[in-house]
Structures are given as C-alpha cells and as structure tokens.
Amino acid sequence: VRFVVKILTKKMKNLLSHLSNLKNILLTYLDGFILIISPLMILLFIVGVIALMDRTGNHQSFLRKMDQGLVTTATVSSLLHSDDSDELNIAVNFIDLLQQERFGLIKTMYYPTEIVNSIKPGDIVNIRYLEPGYESQVILNDYYANVRNYFGFAYDVIVVMVVAWGFIIIHPEFLFWGFSEEKGVKSKAGIRQ
Amino acid sequence: MTLNAFVLFMLGALLEIVWLWDDAHGQVGEWIQIRFLPGAFRLAQWIQGGLVVAAGLLAGIFSVFQVSKTQVSMDNPLIGMIFVAMGLFIFGAGVVADGLLPRINEQSILIVQLLVILNGVLSGALSNVWGLFFVLIFPAALALYLVWNRRPLSPLLKALIYLWYLASLLVLTFQNGSAEFFTAARLSLSDAYFSGIAFIFILLHGLFSIRFFLIVSSLILPRNRLLVAGMMPRLFADDQVPVRRFVLFGLGVLGLILLNVWLNLLPRTIMLNLAVIACVQFFFKPRP
C-alpha cells in the first residue's frame, strides 16, 4: 500500500508540475497576444470615441430639429418588423400642416416595451413630426422625454471601448511610444506581473 | 463661409501647424538667405512668409474672378478631403508621434483655469452644482495649490494635472461654442483666420486627450506608473510660477477679455481661444 501511495504521489506531483508549466506557457502566449493587439485596441478606442461623438451629435441634432417639430394625431397603419434585426418600427399616416397626407415611421427603440406592445394597427397616437423635406421619422409626442433621454445609440460602442480599454491597461507600452525621454526604462507591464 | 474666408481659415490653420512644429522642435534650423531679400531667416520663417504670400495671391485671384463670395462648406468633397487630410496629419504628427504638442508649465495651466472660471461667469455656467464644481471650485483649488506649492510635482501628479488641463481646454471649447463657430456660414475674414488657428490647437489637444486619458487610466495598475515618469518631462516643465508677475499678467489678460466683451471688438469665442493659444504657445513657454 505504501508503495502504491508513493507512486501515486510522485505521479500527482509530476502532473501538477506539467499543469503549472502549461499554465505558464498559456499565459506567455496570451500576454504576447495582448501586447501585439494593444496598438489595434488603442486605435479601436480612439475610433470608438469619435463614433460616440458622432452618434451623440446626430442624436442632439435630431432632438434640436424635433424641438421645432409640429404635433398632430396619426393613425397607426402597420407594425413593421425589420428583416435583419429584432427592431420593430410603427408606420403611421397623418395629415400635415399643408393638409397633405404623409407617411411617418416611429422607431420603437426609444420607448419601453409595454408602451410599444400596447400600440395596435388602427390606434390614434399623438406624434411630433418635421416639416416636409426632412426624414419621415416621427416620434410619440406623449413620450418625448424618453427620446430626449435615450442613450441606446452608445451601448455597443461603449462595450467595444471598455473591452479595448481593458486590453490597453494590461499592455499600455504603445501609449508612451514617441514621448518617453528616459531611455532604458524597462516595462514591467503584462498579465503575469 | 465664403471662399476668401476659407483661404484665411486655411492660412491660420497652416500657420498654427508651422508654429507648433517649430516650437516642438526647439526653434532650430539653418539660417537661409535669399538674394534680393533682406536678412536671413530660418526655414520655418520662410514657410510662414510663403504661406501669407500664397494666401494673399489666392484671395486676390478669387476676388479678380469674382468668386470670393462663393459659399463653401464641409459638404463639398474637395473641402471635406482637405479637412480629412488635415485631421489625419494632426493625428499622425501630433498624437501618434511627438511632432506638434506644445510643452506647458504651471503658468499655462493656471491661465487656462482662470479663463475657464471667467468664461463660466460670463456664460452663466455657474448656475448649477456641476458647473460650480467643474468650472469654479476645482479650477480655483488647483490654481491655489499650484501657486502655494513651490516644489516640483511628482510625475503621477503631473499626469493627473495635465489630464485636467486637457479636460479644461475641452470644457472651454464646448462652453464657448467653438465647434458651432467654426462651421458658421457667415464668418468675417479676421474671424476665419483666428478660427483656423484655434481649430488646429483644439483638434490637436482634443485628439491627444483621448490618448492621455488612456495613459492616466492605465496608471490604475502600479506597475505602469514607471512608464509615465519618462513621458511627463516632455509634456510638463517644472518651472515654478513667479507669483507677482503672473498675477499682473493674469489680470492683464482678464482685463483684455472683459474690455473686449465691453467694446465687442472680437467674438468672445475667438478672444478666449486666442488668449489660451497666446499664453500656452508664446507668453508662458517653458524654458528649454
């Protein structure tokens, strides 16, 4: 029995030692991988900031136009499911200021699900629309505050930026490139430190 | 803006690039003399002269052909391409490489804080709690600390203060509506010229602030702090604030801005941007 225990203990020690080596090898490769992609992550983060500013600017511009928009009642004509996403749009018909019949599209991403689910074809809704010449997008006037506070346009960009930021923190060496005056400062960055 | 206003906008922008480039490279270079012209000048000075002459010629030609009042905007593909090329150049030379960014000292930071406070008072941004904190209390506290502290700052503290300085420039930009001003349809020739200068300065610092935010946030991990020690001397000089001289100069700048508000000589946006650029790039330039 003692002999078997001794053999088993030795085998277990060998196995643990191999596993430890394997972990070190994996970490070294992972570390190298993060180092190689960190410049790409820096670029991704910068592009993310620019995209975020662009989307915020577009949303603010849309709101500024809607502030000058007109309010009327519209009839829901149909619910349109987008083919390439889960997005649901609501098509409405209304008579504009020039007494012409127009088609409008309500994007439902701004509103809570229960409000969207309560709208059926044939319903009469209060909408805010832009003068002819602008896009056909209209909004539900009773829930204008939801549109105003909407931040959903930023979620996907922020997720990408946070992931990129995590990689950059592990290996920030490229951020200091070109500006370092002290030569020979050896980086200790990396996931194994 | 009109075509001639655009020419002057570009003149301001290109001159600012030359000033920044020359400054970042220590204003060195061979003195070049050209026959029939008086005196010898450095290459950067020749380029500046050439740009002024070229802009004058272009504006003259456009006036002769009566196209100087034609409206141009970013929607025009050629104009759009010029702006994209300029943005890429600023990104490459000023953000990726160390070719344009001006070195600052405590006085530069102080004057920017004073201008943020003044602009906050003038624009009514102090009416809410956040405005009061970011535009008055924090800048004032930082200014007092910099005046009171007579020892060189640690690299980590310098990095945090430099990030705040970049944030202050962005706050100032949004506060005084520079972005709307640059794209305004009706810009006078002088406004267009000064806007070109301010556009490059703001674009450079705006883009660099993203990189620097990443740098400062990477300092969460103590092992990364070693890296920032080598970077800060390039960005932030150790010059201490000469209190009396600074107070006199600061009062002079603030007085000039208030006088401009009273007499309405230049738009406030232009005046504030010019005050920042003049102080950072010319008056409070750190010792080499």
Side-chain angles (χ1 to χ4, degrees):
Chain A
V1 171
R2 278 177 71 185
F3 177 73
V4 171
V5 169
K6 202 175 169 183
I7 293 286
L8 277 176
T9 313
K10 202 176 171 185
K11 290 275 180 201
M12 280 299 285
K13 271 184 183 168
N14 277 345
L15 184 67
L16 283 174
S17 162
H18 280 302
L19 281 176
S20 170
N21 281 343
L22 193 68
K23 187 187 131 203
N24 282 340
I25 290 166
L26 278 176
L27 279 178
T28 307
Y29 278 113
L30 190 63
D31 196 44
F33 173 71
I34 293 172
L35 177 65
I36 288 166
I37 63 162
S38 65
L40 189 71
M41 293 293 127
I42 295 169
L43 207 62
L44 205 62
F45 191 91
I46 292 173
V47 171
V49 172
I50 293 168
L52 203 58
M53 284 171 70
D54 182 50
R55 287 187 186 188
T56 309
N58 285 341
H59 185 64
Q60 291 302 322
S61 150
F62 177 65
L63 287 179
R64 271 197 299 275
K65 280 193 275 183
M66 272 300 171
D67 283 341
Q68 311 292 323
L70 303 158
V71 178
T72 190
T73 51
T75 310
V76 176
S77 56
S78 58
L79 306 178
L80 307 168
H81 290 273
S82 175
D83 292 337
D84 49 353
S85 67
D86 296 337
E87 202 178 272
L88 172 75
N89 293 326
I90 299 170
V92 293
N93 288 316
F94 62 97
I95 306 293
D96 71 5
L97 196 67
L98 304 171
Q99 298 303 310
Q100 287 176 330
E101 189 175 2
R102 276 176 62 187
F103 162 81
L105 201 65
I106 300 173
K107 292 193 173 177
T108 56
M109 59 196 180
Y110 300 121
Y111 315 103
T113 322
E114 57 270 22
I115 293 167
V116 175
N117 289 341
S118 69
I119 297 174
K120 305 274 180 298
D123 285 357
I124 305 290
V125 287
N126 274 327
I127 59 155
R128 187 176 274 263
Y129 70 98
L130 299 173
E131 284 173 32
Y134 285 107
E135 61 255 62
S136 59
Q137 191 184 340
V138 299
I139 56 173
L140 291 170
N141 191 51
D142 298 341
Y143 303 99
Y144 191 26
N146 291 64
V147 182
R148 197 164 270 293
N149 300 329
Y150 181 68
F151 201 64
F153 58 83
Y155 289 151
D156 53 344
V157 179
I158 288 175
V159 168
V160 171
M161 282 168 67
V162 168
V163 171
W165 188 56
F167 280 102
I168 295 165
I169 286 176
I170 295 170
H171 268 297
E173 293 92 334
F174 285 98
L175 286 172
F176 298 88
W177 180 77
F179 278 89
S180 190
E181 284 197 342
E182 261 177 46
K183 304 290 178 209
V185 175
K186 253 198 150 163
S187 167
K188 284 185 175 176
I191 52 173
R192 300 182 65 190
Q193 297 298 319
Chain B
M1 67 180 89
T2 62
L3 195 54
N4 269 4
F6 177 70
V7 169
L8 283 173
F9 181 91
M10 286 306 295
L11 173 68
L14 293 174
L15 280 179
E16 173 69 356
I17 290 174
V18 176
W19 290 330
L20 287 168
W21 183 274
D22 196 28
D23 204 29
H25 291 81
Q27 296 185 329
V28 290
E30 269 183 46
W31 291 81
I32 306 164
Q33 175 140 32
I34 294 179
R35 207 188 293 178
F36 309 122
L37 287 175
F41 299 97
R42 286 182 298 107
L43 180 64
Q45 291 166 325
W46 282 113
I47 294 173
Q48 288 169 40
L51 285 171
V52 173
V53 172
L57 278 175
L58 266 180
I61 291 168
F62 291 149
S63 298
V64 167
F65 286 100
Q66 297 182 336
V67 288
S68 58
K69 296 273 190 287
T70 311
Q71 285 287 324
V72 294
S73 75
M74 294 266 275
D75 299 335
N76 183 308
L78 184 68
I79 307 290
M81 265 170 62
I82 291 174
F83 273 94
V84 170
M86 212 151 60
L88 287 175
F89 175 76
I90 295 292
F91 183 72
V95 180
V96 177
D98 173 22
L100 293 176
L101 210 66
R103 195 164 175 241
I104 58 155
N105 56 20
E106 290 184 4
Q107 296 177 76
S108 325
I109 294 172
L110 267 177
I111 199 78
V112 169
Q113 302 310 305
L114 290 183
L115 290 174
V116 167
I117 294 171
L118 179 72
N119 197 35
V121 173
L122 292 175
S123 63
L126 305 181
S127 51
N128 64 61
V129 180
W130 290 107
L132 203 67
F133 180 76
F134 285 110
V135 178
L136 181 68
I137 297 172
F138 195 83
L142 180 62
L144 284 175
Y145 174 74
L146 290 178
V147 171
W148 172 72
N149 178 51
R150 309 304 299 168
R151 283 180 302 173
L153 305 167
S154 70
L156 192 62
L157 193 56
K158 270 186 182 175
L160 290 172
I161 292 176
Y162 191 80
L163 183 68
W164 177 255
Y165 159 77
L166 291 174
S168 303
L169 289 178
L170 295 183
V171 166
L172 206 57
T173 304
F174 285 110
Q175 222 177 41
N176 66 21
S178 290
E180 288 89 7
F181 198 84
F182 294 152
T183 51
R186 298 178 75 84
L187 271 184
S188 73
L189 294 181
S190 60
D191 290 354
Y193 170 71
F194 293 129
S195 295
I197 298 174
F199 174 73
I200 293 296
F201 186 84
I202 291 167
L203 183 66
L204 174 66
H205 285 85
L207 287 174
F208 188 73
S209 64
I210 305 173
R211 178 175 174 179
F212 204 74
F213 164 76
L214 286 173
I215 287 173
V216 172
S217 63
S218 78
L219 303 180
I220 293 172
L221 301 181
R223 63 174 188 240
N224 294 338
R225 290 174 197 164
L226 190 67
L227 294 163
V228 86
M231 184 185 203
M232 287 323 291
R234 160 65 185 90
L235 298 173
F236 195 151
D238 278 327
D239 307 349
Q240 293 298 307
V241 182
V243 180
R244 271 186 221 150
R245 218 183 91 202
F246 179 79
V247 168
L248 279 176
F249 192 87
L251 285 175
V253 171
L254 297 186
L256 211 61
I257 289 170
L258 290 174
L259 190 70
N260 180 63
V261 170
W262 186 43
L263 297 175
N264 207 11
L265 295 172
L266 278 174
R268 185 155 54 94
T269 310
I270 294 276
M271 192 63 194
L272 278 163
N273 287 335
L274 278 184
V276 171
I277 294 168
C279 290
V280 171
Q281 280 180 236
F282 301 103
F283 297 132
F284 296 140
K285 213 155 54 174
R287 285 194 296 268

